[in-house]
Amino acid sequence: MQPLALELRPRGPCWIEATADGKRVFGKLMDAGQQETITVRDEVMLRVGDPGVFVFAINGVPGRPVGEAGLPVWVRLDRQNYKTFLQPPQ
């Protein structure tokens, strides 16, 4: 089974922390224009500091908003639920 490619590319300052497949792989303040890609085999837990500026894609498909601006959230994304985080086709 192919891993998921989770691309993080915030539109503004946003703290993002990620634990993929049980290992903390990422944790930092990202700014607009920065990008990181996380490879996910089974699941990833994301801590998103400002969902209002958090932009992501999974395997190249844009993701939907994960919360309200300014209200930090935890997001659990795995092989079974990741499609629910994608934007519907136009």
Side-chain angles (χ1 to χ4, degrees):
M1 192 175 281
Q2 289 281 25
L4 302 174
L6 174 62
E7 303 160 37
L8 311 174
R9 14 175 221 251
R11 294 184 311 230
C14 183
W15 173 261
I16 302 170
E17 186 174 330
T19 301
D21 304 317
K23 294 182 182 172
R24 187 172 187 264
V25 293
F26 186 80
K28 73 176 186 178
L29 181 64
M30 292 182 70
D31 286 313
Q34 291 183 316
Q35 182 173 330
E36 292 283 342
T37 300
I38 298 169
T39 301
V40 182
R41 296 206 179 282
D42 294 311
E43 77 169 14
V44 64
M45 285 293 297
L46 293 174
R47 175 72 170 156
V48 179
D50 186 353
V53 296
F54 180 65
V55 178
F56 70 101
I58 301 170
N59 294 342
V61 180
R64 65 168 174 75
V66 295
E68 293 183 43
L71 297 176
V73 295
W74 281 100
V75 176
R76 181 180 174 274
L77 201 151
D78 62 30
R79 290 203 157 279
Q80 287 70 45
N81 75 359
Y82 80 92
K83 291 182 181 176
T84 66
F85 289 94
L86 301 177
Q87 289 184 6
Q90 298 297 324

